[in-house]
Amino acid sequence: MTLTAQRPTRVPITLATYNVRRCLGTDRCLSPDRVADVIAEANADIVALQEIDVGRLRSGGVDQAGVIADRLGFSSHFHPALQIAEEQYGDAILTRGRSHLVKFGFLPGSRNLWPSEPRGAIWIEAVVGDARLQVINTHFGLGRRERRDQAAALLGAGWIGQCPAPFVVAGDLNSLPGGRVYRSFAARMRDAHIAGAQGRAAPTFPSRRPLLRIDHVFTSDDIDVASAAVVRSPLASLASDHLPLVVRLKIPVEEGKGSLAAVDGA
């Protein structure tokens, strides 16, 4: 009798979301290498990073996304939510395996009279074994109204509305569980932190004495969540003012599914 190897119906993947505060640690030391070491501790395959500096004088002109990716042997996709001349600041997605950029863009800003930090989102497609995973990374504002507008935009037709499953939305939403922004995502997707931690989700901010759960990973319903945890190592407590959230997922394999072409903005 000849045995035929069966293709797996689900592919395991480890994903992290991490606000790195331009790699400025709680000890005021600026170190992309240390951030890379924290990510290596987590053994993540895909990492959504927020507050990344590229070419900024305050960070020594370093391409932080590139440095961290090179240190890990990953590929990097970066979107500058803020650009002043050659200086850029924004969000990045790093991947261990193959990936390509699908879309990037800006999100609505504050309606008040005071200028607020520009916010954006970046969407990539990652190849995970025989599966393809859509990953959207974002960082919402501090104002309640702007966060609501940003959530509405990301959940609308231009982003989640045209994103095929399986997909993940990760990032610093600056929204606590129970808040309106959090609830708008939880109504459409699964909170991977809650699912993977059996309801005992841990806070992510501030890193030395975490009290608030504002960093989140949401998944489409077809993704299985195996586990989720916040990294609370001594190194993670120093590397940034946020702690990374790491989720272990199982992605469904779909026969004959082709690559997603760039949508717009890419």
Side-chain angles (χ1 to χ4, degrees), residues 132-256:
R132 295 183 184 274
L133 176 66
Q134 312 303 317
V135 181
I136 297 175
N137 176 28
T138 192
H139 183 196
F140 284 177
L142 298 176
R144 182 179 301 174
R145 179 174 291 182
E146 66 177 327
R147 284 199 304 273
R148 291 175 179 176
D149 290 345
Q150 289 156 6
L154 203 62
L155 289 165
W159 291 91
I160 300 300
Q162 62 177 325
C163 185
F167 63 82
V168 168
V169 178
D172 176 1
L173 301 187
N174 275 311
S175 180
L176 294 168
R180 181 170 169 179
V181 166
Y182 171 89
R183 287 187 283 111
S184 68
F185 281 87
R188 296 269 299 273
M189 289 163 271
R190 175 182 292 119
D191 181 341
H193 196 172
I194 288 286
Q198 289 76 50
R200 298 186 297 275
T204 57
F205 178 84
S207 59
R208 284 189 167 175
R209 290 188 177 181
L211 298 171
L212 307 177
R213 189 163 79 89
I214 57 177
D215 301 280
H216 303 284
V217 174
F218 291 95
T219 72
S220 53
D221 290 338
D222 56 342
I223 295 176
D224 290 341
V225 182
S227 67
V230 174
V231 178
R232 283 202 70 178
S233 67
L235 184 61
S237 296
L238 281 176
S240 173
D241 62 343
H242 287 243
L243 296 172
L245 168 62
V246 181
V247 297
R248 305 190 190 283
L249 310 173
K250 294 183 179 179
I251 311 300
V253 174
E254 291 188 24
E255 296 289 344

Side-chain angles (χ1 to χ4, degrees), residues 102-146:
V102 177
K103 177 175 179 173
F104 59 82
F106 296 98
L107 298 176
S110 175
R111 296 177 182 173
N112 62 28
L113 297 177
W114 296 99
S116 61
E117 180 182 306
R119 305 289 174 165
I122 180 170
W123 168 4
I124 64 107
E125 180 181 74
V127 179
V128 185
D130 291 326
R132 295 183 184 274
L133 176 66
Q134 312 303 317
V135 181
I136 297 175
N137 176 28
T138 192
H139 183 196
F140 284 177
L142 298 176
R144 182 179 301 174
R145 179 174 291 182
E146 66 177 327

